[in-house]
């Protein structure tokens, strides 16, 4: 069976010392595709280099925890990296996180909007992290006229109602380690609700290990446990779900189409 991890922080300092081993082990365990997501701009070079490996794609962006990392040169650097590295297939990890009220909400919104616009300009998918900010997220997407929006709500953990709205925007929803924990009732309910053609698997490595690896660093091949749990929850044979997840992964990480954003640009230049 082939497995796909749509969200792994391979440029995280806890993994960079052993990347060759992590990639080799992932392949050995049947992981056929990994999307390596950035949290900080300082990780972009590592991710660009990783995206040259077979089966590894990259997402460049700045996480809502680090809005100060987004400076005047970032948009230009991101465009240049996408031109130079065809394996860069998404802008991420980006989003809004108003959980701890650190007061950076206005700056988060600016940085997020700039990255959303850039993704649309480049025809790339977005890898989203939203927490305690779903109304603001949907408002932004509507205001910028971004639907249908190609991308993933990574580690989806909100309500069915939020899931419905995200699906209406055209997004995929992805699940990771926490869904394998027996008591994660709300997550499991959402994991049953998402239609199979919008469902994805991830690890968020090196964080959020699945139940079978609790207490360890999470690694891309642990995604097999996530797939197994989803198959069981949904009453779908694992092979069938794996094939669907493969198709979904390919759709989200597809190469950008030239000129794909021209209608959006025209609509938004008025
Ligand atoms: Zn992440």
């Amino acid at each position: 069976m082939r497995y796909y991890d749509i969200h792994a922080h391979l440029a995280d300092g806890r993994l960079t010392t052993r990347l060759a081993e992590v990639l080799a082990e992932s392949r050995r365990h049947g992981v056929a595709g990994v999307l390596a997501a950035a949290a900080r701009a300082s990780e972009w070079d590592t991710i660009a280099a990783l995206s040259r490996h077979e089966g590894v794609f990259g997402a460049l962006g700045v996480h809502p925890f680090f809005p100060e990392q987004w400076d005047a040169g970032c948009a230009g650097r991101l465009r240049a990296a996408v031109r130079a590295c065809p394996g860069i297939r998404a802008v991420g990890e980006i989003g809004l996180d108003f959980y701890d009220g650190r007061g950076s909400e206005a700056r988060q919104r600016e940085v997020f909007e700039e990255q959303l616009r850039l993704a649309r300009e480049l025809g790339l998918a977005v890898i989203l992290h939203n927490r305690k900010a779903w109304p603001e997220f949907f408002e932004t997407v509507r205001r910028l006229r971004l639907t249908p929006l190609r991308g993933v709500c990574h580690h989806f953990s909100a309500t069915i109602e939020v899931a419905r709205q995200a699906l209406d925007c055209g997004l995929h929803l992805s699940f990771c380690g926490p869904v394998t924990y027996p008591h994660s009732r709300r997550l499991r309910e959402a994991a049953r609700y998402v239609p199979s053609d919008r469902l994805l698997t991830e690890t968020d490595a090196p964080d959020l290990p699945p139940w079978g690896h609790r207490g360890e660093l999470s690694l891309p091949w642990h995604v097999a446990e996530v797939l197994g749990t989803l198959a069981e929850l949904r009453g779908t044979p694992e092979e069938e779900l794996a094939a669907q997840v493969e198709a979904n992964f390919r759709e989200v990480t597809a190469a950008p189409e030239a000129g794909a954003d021209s209608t959006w640009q025209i609509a938004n230049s008025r």
Side-chain angles (χ1 to χ4, degrees):
M1 206 150 35
R2 288 194 295 268
Y3 300 104
Y4 291 85
D5 183 354
I6 196 73
H7 193 89
H9 291 278
L10 297 183
D12 185 285
R14 289 166 287 173
L15 299 181
T16 45
T17 50
R18 48 186 287 210
L19 274 179
E21 175 207 332
V22 169
L23 293 183
E25 277 293 283
S26 299
R27 266 193 296 275
R28 202 172 66 76
H29 284 86
V31 178
V34 181
L35 184 71
R40 301 170 175 82
S42 53
E43 297 167 352
W44 292 4
D45 290 346
T46 305
I47 287 173
L50 278 166
S51 75
R52 297 179 188 279
H53 288 76
E54 200 194 330
V56 183
F57 301 96
L60 303 184
V62 167
H63 192 285
F65 286 172
F66 314 109
E68 74 286 350
Q69 284 253 327
W70 185 265
D71 61 37
C74 278
R77 271 184 65 202
L78 206 151
R79 283 190 192 94
V82 170
R83 273 196 301 274
C85 305
I88 304 290
R89 297 291 170 82
V91 174
E93 172 174 357
I94 64 173
L96 300 170
D97 192 319
F98 298 164
Y99 181 71
D100 69 357
R102 277 180 299 186
S104 62
E105 292 181 11
R107 183 61 188 147
Q108 275 192 37
R109 292 180 77 137
E110 284 171 15
V111 169
F112 181 46
E113 282 193 23
E114 217 173 310
Q115 295 184 93
L116 281 173
R117 290 173 185 277
L118 200 52
R120 182 52 60 105
E121 172 199 316
L122 296 168
L124 295 173
V126 286
I127 307 300
L128 299 165
H129 168 116
N130 291 312
R131 189 162 55 155
K132 301 278 175 204
W134 287 104
E136 293 82 357
F137 167 73
F138 291 123
E139 182 276 319
T140 304
V141 167
R142 270 194 301 273
R143 182 165 38 81
L144 298 181
R145 303 188 221 197
L146 291 173
T147 52
L149 181 59
R150 184 160 65 109
V152 182
C153 298
H154 119 79
H155 179 23
F156 184 80
S157 56
T159 60
I160 296 291
E161 173 53 23
V162 171
R164 189 188 60 72
Q165 290 183 61
L167 292 164
D168 281 351
C169 289
L171 291 164
H172 286 70
L173 273 53
S174 167
F175 295 88
C176 52
V179 81
T180 65
Y181 282 63
H183 304 297
S184 54
R185 239 191 53 225
R186 194 168 86 170
L187 270 177
R188 290 176 164 226
E189 192 191 353
R192 275 189 288 259
Y193 174 75
V194 179
S196 59
D197 62 349
R198 300 291 193 86
L199 187 69
L200 278 161
T201 53
E202 64 167 270
T203 59
D204 205 18
D207 295 311
L208 304 178
W211 179 251
H213 293 273
R214 57 194 187 280
E216 302 171 20
L217 286 188
S218 122
L219 293 162
W221 59 91
H222 299 169
V223 82
E225 190 174 334
V226 176
L227 184 85
T229 299
L230 293 179
E232 196 184 312
L233 285 172
R234 299 166 64 90
T236 310
E238 229 175 290
E239 290 76 10
E240 189 184 316
L241 193 63
Q244 182 68 61
V245 166
E246 174 173 85
N248 299 346
F249 183 95
R250 301 241 171 267
E251 191 182 332
V252 169
T253 60
E257 284 171 49
D261 72 322
S262 55
T263 36
W264 179 79
Q265 295 224 334
I266 291 160
N268 284 276
S269 62
R270 285 189 200 115

